[in-house]
């Protein structure tokens, strides 16, 4: 059974003050297996970050409605949490606090604003070790230095005394990763961890994440908009559009046969570094604002090249038009790609 | 013939200290000696990571920041030393498209007012009706409906706002359009719309572009010639196909190999050159070759002491590296034992 | 370019809407920032209440003389028959409240308090609004100039603001008010007192406004649309009036609204200290002074002007807070 199983997750922000409620996540289902990298891909407003925050229990309690389930196998239990599978959405604040950091950890997009600017890195790392592993004093500092060393921060004992602003962007993200993996969490959620970084630094961080997954057996839920990052890192890919998973497949299958018109269009619209120059780009027309509610039909229909009346006959179901394990939410999947079948 | 030529352009920002005295305690060498030329009707792409000076260079061409030394020659006139009022009039021929499509539009002006602003400043158009006609024509060119005119920036989507930004620049009928990260603030699916629009406009209006971006794939797609910047100077310049097929500067090679490609097969098989360390501070750049502190192919001689000049390797392919040919011969893509300690710890390297 | 599904230009924007129109019942109408702000403001009940009270106060101040004439209220008419000559307290309970004098009369002279409150309202508001206008004018000019031009201009203005803020304002106000004699600049009596108050309060408070405007200008100057305007060939004054000031309207408006109650309190304090509005002219601060001498015999007398000041200050503050929330584009 999978480590994390998200089923029909919905997150609705109640409007209030006369504003209509917004459904940011609209029935998202996916699974994360232990020791693998699972990708959640989508553009801004597709609900990928809200999904992450919902899993971490970091959404505000007031004004937000949650639905569905997100069952995590937490392993050994603790004071607040039973062992084995636990529905994260049903947990109270105490239990969530207990799980965060020890069983699930998160890496955010902006490493500078995720670190407390007036507290040395070392204190921020040892705090976590104290909270979840009861380490303090010299052993905690030793462990913190080891952690920094493991994420590739040179001269870790000196770095422990430094403040976040004294570190470069890449080093800060490494420090955040060190804090996230300090208690060997079973699930690591990375929300656009390299978007704020330069491309050469991004390569270093992605390499580090890969290494952590390989060596520690941590499951990584990678949230990104960058299809290039997905292609290099994720084994299972879920494409989100307007709060729903529209396509889900292994990465080779997905990139070879993008079957949902959105995924298909996305891949056709990005310039590739290795493509011959002069290949025109095929943009997706309109913008994310041009969408309809899922209950009325396919949210992508207004931007879709294959749109017809059928698309507006209620929400499209997830089907497997090409092969098992390749699920597509579309009534007109793109099946006539000429590329040869991959044997993955 | 080159329409825009930069000769040894330098932009140094003084670092000041003290509240009252304002002493200059040092300089940030944001742009430190860049020479390049842009052909009429072509696109020159400038790439580099944050802090490399590419944005400052673009701003220096428009004199939005002052040029410390060097010449910026547009069609025979050196802009760097032009008096303020003459420069103001020259700006009509040299326009800019900004990165943040919302931030670059005044939230309190409607679209018509935004588009008319430049024409008023330069006295273009004989009457209000004439200006209105021109605005409608441009609006149509960038693919916005005429009813956009009375609306405000916040009512548009990101892609539409960038179209407004492009229209604002084009309404002055400039020769050169400097695009500073024109698509990086946009969603992936929208980027292609704007890239295609820029290409179409170039074809139909004969525009010359300088495209500044950190996204190598976008720059390579849109540019005829690409210049790679590192820490305030150009390290390599080549026609865009050549640059990808045969990058010669170690930094360019590392940069190219770091760009993720949306294709699992390519991703799994490519050699990644991981750089160690971070960008040195432009306030205190390393002596010699600026890249030698991170270079996997650093040599004992010259690299740390002598700053390499840009030299021509092949037609239109310039590189600033003492050992470009040697490195290309000995390791067409791989890493030797001699430079391994300079590479990041990596399980797959 | 001959892509099969190529869609750029007008097509690209038009088509999704064509599909959407069939689905959506109503299109969302475009609204200007002002309309959005008004919508938000309307939802804020406390701010609306503050706004209504402020509007009524302004109406009362403007119409104070007609109201007095209409209801036959005279703020300076002595009613010695209503005051106990030995105790120097009004006859009857509650400070002499009656149908003729709904808020009672003052203990010394038996003057009608309602009439004095109405009369005092215009004095307070004229001084507060006048002083606010003065400091806002100076502050905005100085702030924008310092923020936009920077360099030595900025240093000069900033040091000037520091100097002004270090000034012992209260002592200066007291000595200035005492030393300005009747007939200064040919002005006498009440207009002179009001003029001196406006000058003292407004002229020394501008650095607060100046600092806010300067900081806002500094951040606006770096915004891309200002740079875009420069790259379009716009001149300095054009940028200041077209790009900067419209974007400064919101913070200026909000801060002015919050400055008015401070100035009302300041005016009251100066009058309380005896250097503001001279008796027998009614003013809220002056009434408090008189009440302070008499609180043992008649607490009501202190309560009435105190409440008037309290309600006014509270209403302006609620209005200012509401404006800030409504005009701030970040608080969506």
């Amino acid at each position: 059974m999978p480590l994390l199983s998200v089923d029909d997750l919905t997150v609705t922000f109640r409007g209030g003050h006369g504003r209509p409620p917004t459904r940011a996540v609209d029935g998202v289902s996916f699974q994360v297996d232990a020791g693998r990298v699972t990708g959640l891909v989508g553009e801004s407003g597709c609900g990928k970050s809200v999904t992450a925050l919902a899993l971490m229990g970091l959404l505000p309690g007031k004004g937000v409605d949650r639905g569905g389930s997100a069952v995590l196998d937490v392993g050994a239990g603790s004071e607040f949490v039973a062992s084995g599978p636990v529905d994260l959405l049903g947990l109270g604040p105490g239990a969530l606090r207990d799980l965060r950091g020890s069983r699930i950890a998160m890496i955010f997009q902006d490493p500078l604003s995720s670190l407390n600017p007036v507290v040395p890195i070392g204190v921020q790392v040892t705090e976590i070790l104290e909270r979840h592993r009861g380490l303090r004093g010299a052993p905690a500092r030793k462990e913190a230095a080891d952690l920094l060393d493991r994420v590739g921060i040179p001269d870790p004992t000196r770095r422990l005394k430094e403040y976040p602003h004294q570190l470069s962007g890449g080093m800060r993200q490494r420090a955040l990763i060190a804090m996230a993996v300090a208690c060997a969490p079973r699930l690591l959620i990375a929300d656009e961890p390299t978007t704020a970084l330069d491309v050469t630094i991004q390569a270093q961080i992605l390499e580090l994440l890969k290494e952590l997954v390989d060596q520690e057996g941590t499951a990584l839920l990678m949230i990104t908009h960058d299809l290039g990052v997905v292609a290099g890192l994720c084994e299972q890919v879920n494409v989100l559009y307007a709060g729903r998973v529209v396509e889900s497949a292994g990465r080779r299958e997905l990139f070879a046969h993008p079957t949902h018109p959105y995924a298909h269009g996305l891949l056709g619209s990005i310039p590739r570094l290795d493509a011959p120059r002069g290949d025109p780009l095929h943009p997706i027309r309109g913008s994310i604002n041009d969408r309809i509610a899922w209950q009325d039909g396919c949210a992508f229909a207004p931007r879709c090249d294959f749109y017809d009346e059928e698309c507006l006959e209620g929400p499209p179901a997830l089907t497997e038009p090409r092969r098992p394990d390749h699920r597509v939410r579309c009534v007109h999947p793109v099946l006539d790609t000429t590329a040869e079948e991959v044997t993955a | 013939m080159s329409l825009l030529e930069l000769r040894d352009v330098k932009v140094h920002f003084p670092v000041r200290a003290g509240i009252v005295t304002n002493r200059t305690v040092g300089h940030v060498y944001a742009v430190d000696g860049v020479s390049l030329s842009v052909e009429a009707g072509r696109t020159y792409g400038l790439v580099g990571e944050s802090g490399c000076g590419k944005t400052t260079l673009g701003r220096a061409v428009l004199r939005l920041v002052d040029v410390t030394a060097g010449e910026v020659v547009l069609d025979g006139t050196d802009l760097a030393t032009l008096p303020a009022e003459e420069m103001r009039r020259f700006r009509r021929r040299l326009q800019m498209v900004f990165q943040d499509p919302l931030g670059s539009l005044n939230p309190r002006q409607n679209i018509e007012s935004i588009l008319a602003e430049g024409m008023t400043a330069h006295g273009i158009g004989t009457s209000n009706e004439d200006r209105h006609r021109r605005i409608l024509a441009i609006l149509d060119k960038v693919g916005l409906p005429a009813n956009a005119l009375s609306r405000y920036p916040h009512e548009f989507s990101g892609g539409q706002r960038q179209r407004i930004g492009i229209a604002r620049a084009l309404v002055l009928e400039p020769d050169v359009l400097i695009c500073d990260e024109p698509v990086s603030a946009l969603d992936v699916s929208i980027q292609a719309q704007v890239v295609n629009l820029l290409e179409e406009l170039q074809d139909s209006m004969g525009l010359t572009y300088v495209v500044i971006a950190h996204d190598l794939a976008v720059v390579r797609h849109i540019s005829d010639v690409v210049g790679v910047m590192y820490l305030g100077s150009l390290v390599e310049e080549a026609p865009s196909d050549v640059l990808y097929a045969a990058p010669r500067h170690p930094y360019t090679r590392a940069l190219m190999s770091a760009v993720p490609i949306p294709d699992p097969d390519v991703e799994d098989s490519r050699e990644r050159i991981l750089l160690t360390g971070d960008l040195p501070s432009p306030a205190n750049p390393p002596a010699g070759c600026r890249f030698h502190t991170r270079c996997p192919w650093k040599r004992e001689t010259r690299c740390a002491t002598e700053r390499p000049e840009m030299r021509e390797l092949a037609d239109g392919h310039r590189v600033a590296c003492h050992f470009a040919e040697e490195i290309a011969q000995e390791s067409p893509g791989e890493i030797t034992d001699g430079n391994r300690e300079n590479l990041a710890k990596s399980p797959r390297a | 370019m001959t892509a099969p599904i190529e869609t750029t230009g007008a097509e690209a924007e038009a088509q999704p809407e064509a599909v959407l129109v069939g689905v959506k019942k109503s299109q969302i109408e475009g609204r200007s920032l002002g309309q959005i702000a008004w919508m938000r403001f309307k939802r804020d009940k406390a701010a609306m209440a503050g706004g209504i009270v402020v509007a009524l106060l302004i109406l009362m101040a403007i119409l104070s003389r007609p109201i007095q004439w209409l209801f036959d209220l005279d703020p300076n008419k002595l009613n010695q028959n209503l005051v106990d000559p030995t105790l120097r307290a009004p006859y009857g309970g509650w400070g002499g409240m009656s149908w003729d004098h709904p808020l009672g009369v003052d203990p010394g002279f038996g003057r009608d308090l309602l009439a004095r409150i109405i009369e005092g309202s215009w004095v307070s508001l004229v001084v507060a609004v006048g002083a606010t206008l003065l400091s806002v004018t100076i502050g905005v000019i100085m702030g924008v100039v310092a923020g936009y031009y920077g360099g030595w201009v900025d240093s000069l203005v900033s040091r000037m603001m520091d100097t002004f803020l270090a000034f012992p304002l209260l002592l200066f106000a007291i000595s200035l008010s005492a030393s300005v004699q009747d007939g200064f600049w040919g002005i006498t009596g009440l207009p002179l007192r009001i003029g001196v108050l406006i000058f003292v309060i407004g002229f020394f408070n501008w650095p607060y406004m100046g600092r806010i405007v300067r900081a806002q200008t500094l951040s606006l100057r770096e915004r891309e649309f200002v740079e875009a305007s420069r790259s379009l060939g716009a001149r300095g004054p054009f940028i200041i009036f077209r790009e900067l000031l419209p974007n400064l309207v919101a913070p200026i408006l909000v801060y002015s609204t919050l400055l008015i109650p401070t100035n009302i309190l300041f005016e009251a304090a100066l009058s309380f200290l005896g250097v503001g509005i001279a008796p027998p002219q009614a003013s809220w601060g002056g009434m408090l002074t008189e009440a302070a001498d008499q609180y043992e015999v008649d607490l009501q007398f202190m309560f009435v002007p105190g409440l008037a000041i309290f309600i006014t200050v509270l209403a302006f503050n609620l209005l200012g807070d509401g404006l800030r929330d409504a005009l701030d584009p970040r608080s969506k």
Side-chain angles (χ1 to χ4, degrees), chain B residues 188-210:
Chain B
V188 184
S189 69
I190 311 294
Q191 292 189 356
Q193 292 177 7
V194 173
V195 168
N196 281 2
L197 175 67
L198 285 172
E199 286 181 336
E200 275 174 25
L201 291 170
Q202 183 166 46
D203 289 345
S204 65
M205 300 173 78
L207 293 163
T208 306
Y209 289 149
V210 177

Side-chain angles (χ1 to χ4, degrees), chain A:
Chain A
M1 81 163 254
L3 177 72
L4 172 73
S5 177
V6 177
D7 197 32
D8 202 25
L9 176 71
T10 57
V11 178
T12 310
F13 292 95
R14 276 179 239 152
H17 287 304
R19 270 171 301 215
T22 334
R23 177 153 285 198
V25 179
D26 194 3
V28 162
S29 305
F30 64 92
Q31 297 178 338
V32 179
D33 293 319
R36 297 187 70 187
V37 186
T38 305
L40 274 189
V41 198
E43 300 175 278
S44 54
C46 73
K48 55 190 194 300
S49 293
V50 178
T51 302
L53 293 176
L55 294 180
M56 291 291 289
L58 291 174
L59 287 171
K62 278 182 189 161
V64 182
D65 291 323
R66 272 152 286 213
S69 68
V71 177
L72 176 78
D73 183 1
V74 296
S78 71
E79 186 188 338
F80 290 100
V81 192
S83 59
V86 169
D87 184 2
L88 295 173
L89 299 182
L91 291 180
L96 276 170
R97 247 196 322 274
D98 211 31
L99 288 184
R100 280 198 296 262
S102 68
R103 309 291 150 69
I104 347 172
M106 187 157 169
I107 309 166
F108 294 89
Q109 174 175 348
D110 183 357
L112 186 55
S113 60
S114 322
L115 288 164
N116 187 340
V118 294
V119 177
I121 298 290
V123 176
Q124 302 194 41
V125 178
T126 45
E127 262 171 14
I128 297 169
L129 293 172
E130 184 177 332
R131 194 181 312 136
H132 292 295
R133 285 166 60 182
L135 287 174
R136 35 182 101 223
R141 280 197 296 276
K142 167 89 175 51
E143 178 67 21
D146 286 349
L147 276 169
L148 292 195
D149 187 50
R150 217 174 74 211
V151 297
I153 295 182
D155 200 359
T157 28
R158 185 170 61 87
R159 292 290 183 185
L160 282 177
K161 297 191 191 78
E162 294 194 338
Y163 290 87
H165 69 92
Q166 291 170 292
L167 269 60
S168 68
M171 286 300 157
R172 280 183 216 127
Q173 195 58 288
R174 281 173 194 272
L176 271 183
I177 293 175
M179 288 162 66
V181 300
C183 302
R186 299 167 71 88
L187 174 65
L188 189 60
I189 303 176
D191 187 3
E192 304 267 8
T194 58
T195 307
L197 304 174
D198 277 321
V199 63
T200 54
I201 308 296
Q202 164 173 290
Q204 295 173 2
I205 298 293
L206 292 179
E207 208 54 56
L208 172 67
L209 287 174
K210 245 186 234 175
E211 192 188 310
L212 286 171
V213 171
D214 286 353
Q215 291 176 359
E216 316 285 326
T218 309
L220 176 63
L221 179 61
M222 181 78 184
I223 295 172
T224 180
H225 71 278
D226 191 330
L227 289 167
V229 169
V230 173
L233 190 67
C234 303
E235 286 149 271
Q236 185 72 25
V237 188
N238 300 284
V239 183
L240 261 72
Y241 188 81
R244 251 179 218 194
V245 175
V246 294
E247 185 159 3
S248 169
R251 67 169 177 152
R252 283 173 186 278
E253 169 71 11
L254 184 90
F255 281 90
H257 305 290
T259 305
H260 192 280
Y262 173 63
H264 188 260
L266 213 51
L267 277 166
S269 68
I270 47 176
R272 278 175 60 154
L273 188 61
D274 60 340
R277 200 174 119 70
D279 280 11
L281 303 178
H282 309 300
I284 302 175
R285 63 172 158 267
S287 73
I288 186 81
N289 301 332
D290 305 313
R291 67 172 169 214
I292 56 181
W294 278 109
Q295 48 285 17
D296 297 335
C298 174
F300 185 63
R303 304 175 69 190
C304 186
D305 289 316
F306 307 95
Y307 153 79
D308 67 16
E309 293 302 316
E310 220 180 314
C311 300
L312 301 182
E313 291 167 6
L318 269 185
T319 56
E320 295 176 347
R322 192 182 284 281
R323 51 179 286 172
D325 305 332
H326 185 166
R327 286 183 291 280
V328 183
R329 190 185 294 281
C330 181
V331 290
H332 297 301
V334 190
L335 293 172
D336 49 352
T337 24
T338 46
E340 60 270 62
E341 287 288 325
V342 276
T343 51

